[in-house]
Amino acid sequence: MHIFDFFGSAVCHQMAERSFLIDGIQSPLCARCTTIEAGFLFGWLFLIIFGRKNGNQPFSLAGILLAALCFVPIGIDGGGSYIGLFESNQFRRVVTGAFAGVGLPALFLLVANFQPKIQNNTPIYRNIWEQVGLILFTLVYGLAVYFGYLPYYLVAVVSMLGVICFYGSFWFLVVRLLTIHKKFPCILTAFAGGLVTATLVATLIHLIK
């Protein structure tokens, strides 16, 4: 088993018929999880690279609507497929996963940093076009995977780091709330926590199997 498959098992069923075959190797995550977890990674990279990790200002009305609408496609496609109304396909899974995953880091950040007793005026997104750009970037990545333009190891590394960022998001929320008035390496602590948690969850799943 690849280490990438090991970490992928911490969040994904890894069904062969719903996963990609890249360079003759099954992708570590299914089509939908591939872009959901990539969205987590790209979302956190955006926040870190552009210095938004202290952002606490609620989104604009347009930003709220866009963030909410991003979860509608996955709700329709995933929900309808689950209850048997229709059968989804790889393309729809990729697209709906990209929309849903990319906005979640900013929501974790807002919940962690928002303080009702002070004026929260540090933006997470400076304008709605940053949200749109991030969504499009993740969508282009997902389509590049879908059409087979990216090598296996690139997709596998992005997937593994995305899984760590997924679990790390919960760690960030807890650590940030506990150290809100102190200088503390929340991002590094969250990443380490995500790495340990993903390892433990994957190990538990394999022991059960």
Side-chain angles (χ1 to χ4, degrees), residues 23-37:
D23 299 333
I25 309 172
Q26 181 179 322
S27 57
L29 301 172
C30 72
R32 202 186 309 273
C33 285
T34 292
T35 46
I36 290 176
E37 304 309 322

Side-chain angles (χ1 to χ4, degrees), residues 1 4-20 26-38 90 93 159-160 162-164 166-167 197-198 201-206 209:
M1 168 175 286
F4 308 115
D5 296 323
F6 175 77
F7 276 97
S9 67
V11 297
C12 182
H13 54 65
Q14 298 177 314
M15 295 170 61
E17 63 270 24
R18 296 188 181 183
S19 303
F20 295 110
Q26 181 179 322
S27 57
L29 301 172
C30 72
R32 202 186 309 273
C33 285
T34 292
T35 46
I36 290 176
E37 304 309 322
Q90 298 292 66
R93 291 176 185 130
S159 297
M160 183 178 73
V163 171
I164 295 171
F166 168 75
Y167 285 106
T197 304
V201 171
T203 300
L204 180 61
I205 288 174
H206 285 280
K209 288 183 178 180

Side-chain angles (χ1 to χ4, degrees), residues 8 18 28 117 130 151 180:
R18 296 188 181 183
K117 294 183 179 180
E130 289 187 340
I180 193 67

